Amino acid sequence: MRVNAYAAPAAGQPLAPTTIERREVGARDVLIDIEYAGICHSDIHTVNGDWGPQPFPLVPGHEIVGRVTEVGSEVTRHQVGDRVGVGCMVNSCGECDRCTSGDEQYCVQGMVGTYGATDRDGTTTQGGYSTHVVVDADYVLSIPESLDAAAATPLLCAGITTYSPLKHWNAGPGKKVAVVGLGGLGHMAVQIAHAMGAEVTVLSQSLKKQEDGLRLGADHYFATSDPDTFEALAESFDLVINTVSARIDVSAYLGLLDVNGALVNVGAPAEPLDVNVFALLSNRRSFSGSMIGGIAETQEMLDFCAEHGIASEVEVISADQVNEAYERVLASDVRYRFVIDASTLD
Ligand code: NAP
Ligand code: ZN
């Protein structure tokens, strides 16, 4: 099936309209009529070649929400008409210890990414900036009907990428959590950590978004451009989630951790980050990372967000505005996620 899409023709080139082929709906697949596709900073890193060579032309997009329009003969989990979502992963081996324990994102054979990856049939996966997608039903999530479709779309990456480490590192009552960077991931981290019961602090470059941060559930808000911030908050957090898409001074942020505290990096800048080991030795701190979350955990996150009335704050755009949106994300001028209205691709 030939469908409309927006693709990057080569590294660093503006995206342009194109058509791509979607596979026939197999026995275990669902066909999704895409309603919205979110723009994650990872799409921009990928297209710009920050993470190495990619198979171009490439259709980005790993925050996808739409309606099921066809299901394969063996599919029981989803039905025609259901509102569903697809995140960063469309397949994995399903058999290794990691897959069977719900960590498909760390599959021993490597998860199959939603775009730019080699699918099990040998073709290259293409993402959500498109009108339709065919995905193995086991990697398709149910979107609770109480969530607005556009606002739920960023949960498929920004939501799970922050929910998973917040849960793993026990964010909750009595815990002090700092979120570095109030962008797509950051604004979800603040809402989720607050809903989990933690005391939440935003560490942003400036105080420009302070009102938003406090409205989203933060208890405190500091500008990292102010050197006093690092003194005032020294040794005060149990958990710091770094969502910044660029290099930061990791050692300075480690200094904000209390005994046994953890700095968890979810931001994925092109360049390596330096660590002063003494910032780790002191207070028995750890420096860790986390990549998205498993399928069952993603469903748990969606249900958690529905229960707590949490979603993303989105700016819905038409597909022809995608290049402009990329520029604005790069300039930290996003409140707080761009979401493409896929009907503008018809
Ligand atoms: P985003 O919306 O652009 O947010 C990033 C935020 O970081 C910005 O809003 C800005 O917040 C801050 N920032 C940007 N440049 C900065 C700089 N030079 N110095 C200090 N702060 C800066 O991006 P996103 O979509 O949330 O993604 C964030 C990062 O996470 C990206 O690297 C992305 O690839 C990565 N990511 C990782 C995973 C994973 O599985 N680990 C999943 C998705 C995304 P302030 O204006 O508040 O300072
Ligand atoms: Zn993403």
Side-chain angles (χ1 to χ4, degrees), residues 45-124:
H45 286 305
T46 305
V47 165
N48 285 349
D50 289 354
W51 297 344
Q54 304 293 330
F56 290 101
L58 182 73
V59 178
H62 58 209
E63 294 178 338
I64 303 170
V65 164
R67 291 271 180 199
V68 175
T69 51
E70 196 182 327
V71 298
S73 57
E74 292 173 21
V75 175
T76 51
R77 194 192 267 236
H78 302 288
Q79 290 174 357
V80 170
D82 288 354
R83 178 165 276 143
V84 293
V86 177
C88 301
M89 174 168 53
V90 290
N91 219 329
S92 67
C93 83
E95 287 165 4
C96 70
D97 288 351
R98 292 141 185 213
C99 284
T100 53
S101 63
D103 279 331
E104 300 93 339
Q105 73 278 30
Y106 306 126
C107 173
V108 170
Q109 293 186 33
M111 70 167 203
V112 177
T114 303
Y115 57 80
T118 304
D119 211 344
R120 301 252 166 258
D121 64 1
T123 60
T124 299

Side-chain angles (χ1 to χ4, degrees), residues 164-185:
S164 183
L166 284 166
K167 192 172 172 206
H168 186 83
W169 275 273
N170 303 311
K175 292 291 168 79
K176 292 186 177 182
V177 175
V179 175
V180 190
L182 194 67
L185 267 56

Side-chain angles (χ1 to χ4, degrees), residues 40 42 62 157:
C40 177
S42 300
H62 58 209
C157 175

Side-chain angles (χ1 to χ4, degrees), residues 177-197:
V177 175
V179 175
V180 190
L182 194 67
L185 267 56
H187 93 296
M188 289 313 310
V190 168
Q191 296 182 78
I192 293 169
H194 174 69
M196 287 175 170

Side-chain angles (χ1 to χ4, degrees), residues 41-42 45 182 184-185 204-205 209 243 245 266 268 290 292 337:
H41 205 121
S42 300
H45 286 305
L182 194 67
L185 267 56
S204 180
Q205 293 167 93
K209 296 178 274 191
T243 75
S245 47
V266 291
S290 183
I292 52 170
R337 199 61 141 187

